Amino acid sequence: MGGTAQTFPKAFAVSFAQINRWDPNSFHGINWHWPPPVMAPIGSVLKPRKEKVDRSENGFNELMPVTIHFDGSIEPRKVSEDKEYTMELFWARPGDIVVSKIDLKNGAVAIIPDRWDKVVVTNHFAVYEPDTEILDSRYFHLLIQAKFFKEHLWRNKVGAEGRKEIKLDFFESQEVPIPSLPSQQKIVGHWEAAQASILAAKLCIAKIEKEIQKRFLADLGLPRPKRSTPPKCFAANWEIFERWSVSYNQAAMSMIDLTLGIYPVVELGSILEMVQYGTSEKANTSEKGTPVLRMNNIKDGYLDYSNLKHVLLPEKTLKSLLVVDRDILFNRTNSKELVGKCAVFQSSDEYVFASYLIRVRPDPKIAISDFVAYCINSVIGRQQIDALSRQIIGQANINSQELRSLRLPLPPLDLQKEIIEYIKAGRKEIVQKEETVRRLSNQTQNDIEKMILGTLPVEVN
């Protein structure tokens, strides 16, 4: 984070008497900027809680095991109804601070929410009761999640390879700033105010996206998508079966009926001038050859031209794979939610594309590339792709023939242009708000880390 990251010398000297482990990085501590009276060991403000659950008085289905993530978030752990933990369990009360022993090195420390009842953990966790007279748990949570502090924990993990962890006695011995409660609350207040602004911006983004889709479907005379959960059991006549796939026919039953719209429905393949797979030639990071667009360059319906690799191709092959302005690049294999995502290429520079992508080129006399791409990325295309794609070893796939079979409504060119204009206007507003979110998030993180380090004074009224 700008301005708060600590740098350490490549060469330094330590007396032999100070060496307690053979790891140079572990000697890099945190350069706090607080006066000594403010500093205190973590163990002095946290009291270990070790309350064993009496299983004879508490059925497992009444208890709430939890999962703690690296970002300090916490959620109930899903356990099958026919299973329960056989190991000892311990209570974690609302307001307690819970540490995942094995993942403490990654910052897996969380606060039990106020209204959570009967939370339990195994011996793989440590539970602490904070001294609320001198410590605001929310401040402590921000301290643990600070980038510089998580890096400090990571530098001090010990143990066998693959099982390295932070020892609790080391964690409890770490001296951290414990300023006055009003100062802690001021830091927390700064964080929470920023999070409220970020949330408001994200809700606004979601509202704009919803309005764009609503108007898009209305202009095509199509109903809004159903929100029903696909039935686990269903019956269908033989004549409606298009594929020997239960999941496909299950999904097909909840699709928008495109024939209800006011424009003709066509198969994508009927309006394309070209369909082509990309190169499988190994790419390099030394910038030799031509930049190659890969599946990770397709983001939110747009092409991200950063983080590029290059590929060396024979002249003839290169010419055949150069992407042309207004071509659409389609992600044919990825995770279930990302397969089928596409973006329009808009550049006069030379790029080729990788084999995990399919290049399609609509006939410009019939269809506008931006309109086709938006259809595919919208609920119209998404429902069809989810039904068509096949899951293979954690990856979903869709081939060129299935891509050609996608159906979409086709209004006249002038209406396609009109639709794209308001979509672009909405997307421009979204991009501006996303940039606001990114900037505010980075600035807040920067401010909080400076406040915790003590390099940015915390003024208390």
Side-chain angles (χ1 to χ4, degrees):
M1 302 299 171
T4 66
Q6 298 188 99
T7 57
F8 303 105
K10 292 183 178 180
F12 60 95
V14 178
S15 65
F16 195 81
Q18 293 178 282
I19 297 177
N20 54 18
R21 53 185 292 191
W22 296 103
D23 183 357
N25 283 333
S26 66
F27 291 95
H28 296 318
I30 297 173
N31 185 22
W32 300 107
H33 293 264
W34 292 91
V38 175
M39 305 299 292
I42 287 176
S44 68
V45 293
L46 299 181
K47 178 183 177 183
R49 184 193 295 280
K50 197 80 170 178
E51 294 182 27
K52 187 176 177 180
V53 176
D54 187 341
R55 301 293 286 274
S56 66
E57 295 183 0
N58 297 274
F60 186 74
N61 61 346
E62 300 173 352
L63 305 176
M64 184 194 293
V66 292
T67 295
I68 298 176
H69 300 288
F70 295 172
D71 63 355
S73 60
I74 185 172
E75 64 181 358
R77 182 184 290 270
K78 295 180 181 178
V79 182
S80 301
E81 292 182 4
D82 58 340
K83 294 183 180 180
E84 63 177 68
Y85 293 174
T86 56
M87 61 187 76
E88 288 187 332
L89 297 176
F90 302 89
W91 292 113
R93 306 297 184 182
D96 281 353
I97 292 170
V98 181
V99 173
S100 169
K101 294 179 182 178
I102 189 63
D103 287 322
L104 173 56
K105 61 181 180 286
N106 294 304
V109 178
I111 305 170
I112 302 298
D114 288 341
R115 287 183 286 275
W116 284 23
D117 189 30
K118 292 197 171 183
V119 175
V120 295
V121 298
T122 66
N123 208 36
H124 296 304
F125 296 82
V127 181
Y128 296 95
E129 180 184 2
D131 184 345
T132 55
E133 291 187 2
I134 59 174
L135 179 68
D136 187 314
S137 297
R138 300 168 300 168
Y139 162 78
F140 184 76
H141 192 260
L142 289 175
L143 186 153
I144 296 294
Q145 289 303 311
K147 183 174 181 287
F148 68 85
F149 195 84
K150 292 174 79 167
E151 289 174 347
H152 175 67
L153 291 174
W154 183 262
R155 288 193 298 270
N156 287 278
K157 60 189 186 299
V158 296
E161 203 60 46
R163 293 291 298 175
K164 290 183 179 294
E165 60 182 57
I166 297 295
K167 297 300 183 183
L168 289 181
D169 56 354
F170 172 84
F171 174 68
E172 293 171 6
S173 70
Q174 294 307 291
E175 289 204 346
V176 297
I178 309 294
S180 67
L181 274 176
S183 295
Q184 295 177 45
Q185 290 160 357
K186 185 78 172 182
I187 294 172
V188 171
H190 184 82
W191 170 262
E192 291 181 343
Q195 298 314 300
S197 297
I198 289 171
L199 177 60
K202 288 181 176 179
L203 290 174
C204 186
I205 289 170
K207 182 179 179 181
I208 295 170
E209 289 176 335
K210 185 177 179 180
E211 289 299 318
I212 290 173
Q213 177 174 279
K214 181 180 177 181
R215 179 174 170 182
F216 173 70
L217 293 175
D219 282 352
L220 299 174
L222 292 170
R224 297 174 69 179
K226 301 174 184 176
R227 291 193 173 183
S228 60
T229 303
K232 293 182 179 179
C233 178
F234 64 96
N237 295 330
W238 283 110
E239 61 265 21
I240 71 167
F241 269 59
E242 295 184 29
R243 292 178 60 172
W244 289 102
S245 167
V246 172
S247 60
Y248 173 83
N249 288 287
Q250 183 185 46
M253 295 178 71
S254 61
M255 286 184 191
I256 294 175
D257 185 352
L258 300 182
T259 63
L260 297 176
I262 55 180
Y263 298 107
V265 179
V266 300
E267 287 197 348
L268 179 59
S270 69
I271 61 171
L272 298 179
E273 292 182 339
M274 173 188 285
V275 179
Q276 183 185 24
Y277 286 91
T279 178
S280 56
E281 194 69 30
K282 185 175 178 59
N284 65 77
T285 56
S286 55
E287 299 188 1
K288 293 180 180 178
T290 307
V292 56
L293 294 167
R294 298 166 293 148
M295 57 185 180
N296 61 302
N297 294 111
I298 298 177
K299 296 179 180 178
D300 299 324
Y302 292 91
L303 283 170
D304 179 356
Y305 296 94
S306 62
N307 191 25
L308 290 169
K309 289 187 177 183
H310 289 66
V311 64
L312 286 165
L313 296 171
E315 188 65 24
K316 185 177 179 180
T317 305
L318 174 62
K319 286 184 178 180
S320 70
L321 290 173
L322 285 175
V323 194
V324 177
D325 188 52
R326 315 317 300 178
D327 281 352
I328 301 173
L329 294 179
F330 177 93
N331 198 341
R332 70 177 180 87
T333 181
N334 209 312
S335 58
K336 183 74 174 177
E337 67 274 7
L338 294 178
V339 71
K341 295 292 186 181
C342 65
V344 178
F345 178 77
Q346 301 179 57
S347 175
S348 58
D349 296 332
E350 288 194 349
Y351 291 87
V352 293
F353 59 106
S355 59
Y356 288 132
L357 303 180
I358 298 176
R359 178 242 295 270
V360 300
R361 184 178 299 162
D363 181 346
K365 299 187 297 295
I366 302 174
I368 297 171
S369 295
D370 292 286
F371 175 80
V372 173
Y374 187 81
C375 278
I376 294 172
N377 285 329
S378 76
V379 64
I380 290 174
R382 193 71 250 163
Q383 288 183 333
Q384 297 179 69
I385 291 165
D386 287 344
L388 288 167
S389 61
R390 300 167 306 285
Q391 196 81 13
I392 303 175
I393 318 178
Q395 291 282 298
N397 294 269
I398 187 168
N399 60 38
S400 62
Q401 193 58 41
E402 290 163 332
L403 176 58
R404 292 173 188 267
S405 74
L406 294 179
R407 300 167 70 243
L408 61 153
L410 193 67
L413 279 175
D414 58 346
L415 182 57
Q416 291 181 43
K417 290 178 183 177
E418 182 181 323
I419 289 173
I420 288 304
E421 285 305 313
Y422 73 69
I423 289 174
K424 285 183 176 180
R427 285 300 306 172
K428 182 178 180 181
E429 188 176 355
I430 287 173
V431 168
Q432 291 172 342
K433 291 191 177 299
E434 287 175 338
E435 174 58 24
T436 298
V437 168
R438 186 196 64 78
R439 187 171 58 252
L440 180 57
S441 179
N442 287 343
Q443 183 60 52
T444 303
Q445 191 69 34
N446 190 21
D447 289 347
I448 293 299
E449 293 197 359
K450 285 182 177 180
M451 289 176 180
I452 293 173
L453 275 172
T455 57
L456 178 62
V458 180
E459 296 181 5
V460 179
N461 296 331

